[in-house]
Amino acid sequence: MTKKSILCITIGNLAIPATLSAAVQGWEVCSAATLAEARRQLKVRPLLVGVLLVESHDDQLCAAMDGFLHEHWDMHWIALLHPPALESAAWRRLVHDHCRDFHTWPLDVQRLRHTLGHAHGLAALCRAADGHSHIRAVPALTGESSAIAGLRRQIVKVAGASAPVLIWGESGSGKELVAQAVHAHSPRRAGPFVPINCGAIPAALIQSELFGYERGAFTGAAREKRGLIEAAQGGSIFLDEIGDLPMELQANLLRFLQEKTIYRLGSTHSIAVDVRVIAASHVNLAQAVQRGAFREDLYYRLNVLALDVPPLRERKEDLLPLAEHFFRTYSSERAPRVKGFSGRAAQAIRDYDWPGNVRELLNRVRRAMVMAEGRLILPQDLGLSTDQAARESAPLDDARIRAERDAIDASLQRAGRNITLAARDLGVSRMTLYRLLAKHGIPAPSRVCYTAGSPSK
């Protein structure tokens, strides 16, 4: 039988006392005389349980140990202290926030042995429950649902091409992460990735920000300035919320896509720029074209390679992995006593509909990490109620599913079962329409029908 392992930190080069040696008989003990040495050991070999054996109880050491225990919050720690240490408010707080238990001298061997065994058992249960996820490299697009797995495959396919990419998704669904993944998998990965939020730049400044300007182009232009498109030379430019771009600048962007050249403001000569354009919008651009709010020729120039980011409600399997990922990523912000999610909190996360998508989940988890009063996050810390979430989400899900199916049926009828026309009517790509047909169990037409003048993909 494999020995259980434990890390014993003996600050001040203390020798492990005989009573502790007796308590850990049958265990494999890894010793560290400093916190730096303990960090090195844990990088090489993550352990489940640690013992803090401290002789000196000054506040400076307490602060250093508090930072160390914050870094290694997922271990189960047992403190061995001299009784005077508990007279210090700082040490009492450290034990309360970070330690599963504590013992004072003289040590009771049997009680300490029981404490260590119990801590190891609990730690092993936690490690088995999360499937060692905290030591795995977390991909940028966290999740293993079929929707996100399909999106990853599409990203790899489109990344190798040089054509523009148009990403559609609801607000907060992670469109910029998708754009970063496209760039990271592309031959341009060594070049810059320049993100621009078209809705956040004042309309009067967008042209100079995107295309740059020459010295003297306007009052205050004391020197020339490269625009953001030029700054992305050799890489990718991400135009987020492209639907918010003013109509007059849409013509300039179209010229750049066609000719791969730009004109700085106030310049009479063009500049060749080698940049891949990745655009995103939460607005349905096909409908914006019909309303006259977006240029049709620019839409077809951008919509060469289309990616649809699924909303969080369509990837329920990813909810808990995402929540755990955010918990680990922002662990430095959490209250020290908070160790994870309770079973009720996990159920509330699964039951809630997440209209704000990944951004809402992130914000709720970060708030709960700070506001939780116990060791585990509860539904109320997330601002959720299990019963309320179940009551609200089930009817809403049913209504949404019925409405989605009815809309697809109606579009197919109007289009005479023509996939291209039905997809255009719904404002989605053909690929997305096929996914929706499979989701609702609607038989797909026996063959794809193309209409004259329909855009090629």
Side-chain angles (χ1 to χ4, degrees):
M1 183 171 158
T2 305
K3 284 186 177 181
K4 292 176 287 187
S5 301
I6 189 172
L7 175 67
C8 184
I9 302 178
T10 55
I11 301 296
N13 292 308
L14 297 174
I16 297 178
T19 48
L20 178 57
S21 297
V24 295
Q25 188 174 2
W27 292 60
E28 181 183 357
V29 180
C30 304
S31 299
T34 64
L35 294 180
E37 185 180 347
R39 283 189 179 93
R40 286 194 296 271
Q41 291 207 32
L42 290 174
K43 282 183 180 179
V44 175
R45 184 184 182 188
L47 297 173
L48 300 179
V49 178
V51 171
L52 305 174
L53 180 59
V54 184
E55 182 73 20
S56 172
H57 302 110
D58 61 274
D59 290 347
Q60 186 176 358
L61 174 60
C62 183
M65 192 161 286
D66 180 71
F68 171 83
L69 296 176
H70 255 106
E71 296 172 24
H72 303 283
W73 59 271
D74 51 342
M75 287 181 65
H76 288 226
W77 294 98
I78 312 297
L80 307 182
L81 305 166
H82 291 283
L86 298 179
E87 297 174 7
S88 163
W91 281 94
R92 288 198 305 271
R93 189 181 310 111
L94 180 135
V95 172
H96 175 270
D97 288 346
H98 297 290
C99 297
R100 291 286 174 172
D101 204 349
F102 72 97
H103 292 250
T104 55
W105 302 91
L107 299 176
D108 183 324
V109 175
Q110 288 303 119
R111 180 171 169 264
L112 180 55
R113 183 189 294 273
H114 173 77
T115 298
L116 293 173
H118 184 60
H120 191 278
L122 280 175
L125 282 175
C126 294
R127 185 71 58 91
D130 69 12
H132 300 270
S133 60
H134 63 287
I135 59 175
R136 279 204 314 257
V138 181
L141 293 171
T142 302
E144 299 300 332
S145 65
S146 58
I148 208 69
L151 179 59
R152 285 199 195 99
R153 289 193 296 271
Q154 294 165 27
I155 287 171
V156 173
K157 290 179 181 179
V158 305
S162 59
V165 178
L166 182 60
I167 303 169
W168 182 88
E170 294 180 7
S171 182
S173 58
K175 297 186 289 296
E176 184 166 351
L177 273 181
V178 173
Q180 289 172 347
V182 170
H183 174 74
H185 286 85
S186 75
R188 298 173 176 268
R189 66 178 69 89
F193 175 85
V194 180
I196 303 169
N197 189 328
C198 298
I201 304 176
L205 299 178
I206 289 181
Q207 182 160 356
S208 60
E209 288 295 316
L210 286 181
F211 300 98
Y213 54 82
E214 296 289 342
R215 179 180 177 182
F218 51 84
T219 303
R223 58 181 179 82
E224 67 178 30
K225 179 185 175 182
R226 288 198 312 164
L228 292 172
I229 293 178
E230 214 176 326
Q233 174 73 27
S236 306
I237 189 165
F238 175 53
L239 300 174
D240 196 11
E241 301 307 343
I242 187 72
D244 294 335
L245 199 65
M247 289 292 285
E248 60 271 17
L249 282 180
Q250 292 179 24
N252 292 349
L253 183 61
L254 177 63
R255 184 183 304 113
F256 161 65
L257 288 171
Q258 290 172 333
E259 302 174 5
K260 297 298 182 182
T261 60
I262 62 169
Y263 284 85
R264 289 181 183 172
L265 196 63
S267 174
T268 58
H269 67 274
S270 62
I271 301 173
V273 183
D274 177 24
V275 170
R276 185 185 196 178
V277 173
I278 305 173
S281 176
H282 75 278
V283 174
N284 188 308
L285 292 183
Q287 295 177 2
V289 169
Q290 293 176 357
R291 295 194 308 269
F294 199 81
R295 289 181 63 111
E296 184 176 19
D297 46 6
L298 177 58
Y299 170 67
Y300 289 128
R301 276 284 177 180
L302 291 171
N303 193 29
V304 179
L305 298 171
L307 293 175
D308 292 343
V309 184
L312 202 50
R313 62 179 173 273
E314 291 185 8
R315 36 186 296 217
K316 292 282 188 179
E317 309 97 305
D318 297 337
L319 284 168
L320 290 183
L322 275 169
E324 293 285 355
H325 170 55
F326 295 144
F327 185 87
R328 292 189 298 271
T329 302
Y330 296 94
S331 59
S332 62
E333 298 180 2
R334 68 180 175 82
R337 63 183 173 278
V338 180
K339 305 301 179 185
F341 297 90
S342 68
R344 285 189 295 141
Q347 187 60 49
I349 289 172
R350 283 190 291 263
D351 290 339
Y352 185 57
D353 200 47
W354 299 105
N357 291 297
V358 179
R359 186 181 294 123
E360 182 185 4
L361 176 61
L362 169 62
N363 291 341
R364 286 185 182 270
V365 169
R366 291 181 70 181
R367 181 169 62 245
M369 289 165 63
V370 175
M371 303 303 294
E373 297 182 354
R375 287 187 176 273
L376 295 176
I377 291 174
L378 300 175
Q380 54 266 36
D381 300 323
L382 293 160
L384 303 175
S385 163
T386 305
D387 295 338
Q388 178 185 9
R391 284 197 307 271
E392 290 180 353
S393 65
L396 187 59
D397 283 342
D398 292 343
R400 180 180 291 107
I401 289 170
R402 287 195 302 271
E404 196 173 70
R405 183 185 175 90
D406 291 345
I408 294 169
D409 280 333
S411 289
L412 284 172
Q413 291 299 323
R414 286 194 299 269
R417 307 287 292 173
N418 182 306
I419 285 289
T420 301
L421 291 179
R424 184 184 300 169
D425 184 45
L426 290 167
V428 299
S429 66
R430 292 193 298 271
M431 178 182 61
T432 299
L433 181 53
Y434 277 119
R435 178 167 61 85
L436 292 171
L437 292 174
K439 172 184 172 182
H440 293 285
I442 301 173
S446 56
R447 65 186 183 89
V448 180
C449 299
Y450 296 93
T451 60
S454 63
S456 60
K457 293 286 181 182

